[in-house]
Amino acid sequence: MTITKPGWTILLTLSASVLAGSTGCAPAVAPAPATVSRIAVLPPSDATGAPLSPRAPADLGAAPTQSLGAILAAEARTQLARQGFEVVDPTLVETATGGRVPSSPEMAAEILRSAKLDAAVLFMQVRRWEFPYPTFRTDEVIVSLDAMLVDPTSGQVVWRVRRPAKPVPLHGVAIGGQADAVAAAEVMKEVFASLGQRLPS
């Protein structure tokens, strides 16, 4: 089949539109400011600002598992430490929060400011976290969440990333809390990849 000159024009226009769409849908996330070196990880909340609902055990006879909020906070601390950030001891954070779960970046900043902790605060909000099948056994978890670093003094968000709803492959079949743990580790690596490394001074 021979493509005429107008046909080539249409084809090139469509190709350019596809390329522009594919590059425009994933904006780059700037690294954290150089002034951020110490981070306090606060308990994550759900999309409404409420504490994350407890996860059901893998089966009725299973022992209670760690909550999703605790799993995400622990994985966030691990990943931030690997990238060279100083992470505030979770015991100090627990004392500072007094059991409160921040529902907004402003509340997260206020909690740290009132506790007089010298650190940026990590605020996370989970918009979606669910198994794609009506079963406790799965090979992926669908996750959407926001993560922000907030300056507690000014209350300003200095770094932000939004993960759109998409599957997290588990590279095998997992059950219940095990799937949550594997997915949390993968998501935290992905989310904090743009923060960059902090080298020892």
Side-chain angles (χ1 to χ4, degrees):
M1 183 179 76
T2 302
I3 300 179
T4 62
K5 195 168 184 179
W8 274 114
T9 303
I10 295 170
L11 183 62
L12 290 172
T13 302
L14 288 173
S15 299
S17 300
V18 170
L19 287 172
S22 63
T23 55
C25 65
V29 178
T35 52
V36 174
S37 59
R38 190 167 187 253
I39 299 174
V41 178
L42 266 59
S45 62
D46 70 13
T48 69
L52 291 170
S53 300
R55 301 288 286 176
D59 57 67
L60 294 178
T65 57
Q66 195 176 24
S67 72
L68 178 57
I71 291 172
L72 281 169
E75 289 295 343
R77 289 192 295 268
T78 298
Q79 186 60 32
L80 290 169
R82 283 176 181 163
Q83 292 181 224
F85 291 90
E86 182 185 352
V87 180
V88 176
D89 188 304
T91 304
L92 290 177
V93 173
E94 187 176 354
T95 301
T97 60
R100 291 183 293 170
V101 175
S103 58
S104 67
E106 294 78 15
M107 183 178 176
E110 187 276 325
I111 288 174
L112 222 65
R113 192 163 51 241
S114 62
K116 295 181 171 57
L117 283 179
D118 182 20
V121 57
L122 176 68
F123 169 71
M124 290 188 288
Q125 197 162 60
V126 177
R127 298 184 172 276
R128 187 176 177 187
W129 191 288
E130 64 186 30
F131 294 175
Y133 324 115
T135 175
F136 289 119
R137 187 179 294 273
T138 183
D139 59 358
E140 63 183 24
V141 180
I142 300 173
V143 175
S144 173
L145 59 78
D146 296 336
M148 307 171 207
L149 285 177
V150 186
D151 180 342
T153 303
S154 65
Q156 290 186 329
V157 175
V158 297
W159 175 88
R160 179 198 306 261
V161 65
R162 168 168 287 188
R163 186 188 195 275
K166 58 182 179 180
V168 180
L170 304 181
H171 311 292
V173 175
I175 300 175
Q178 181 189 24
D180 286 337
V182 175
E186 293 294 324
V187 169
M188 291 299 96
K189 287 177 189 175
E190 176 189 330
V191 165
F192 295 125
S194 68
L195 271 177
Q197 292 283 336
R198 286 295 183 268
L199 300 176
S201 56

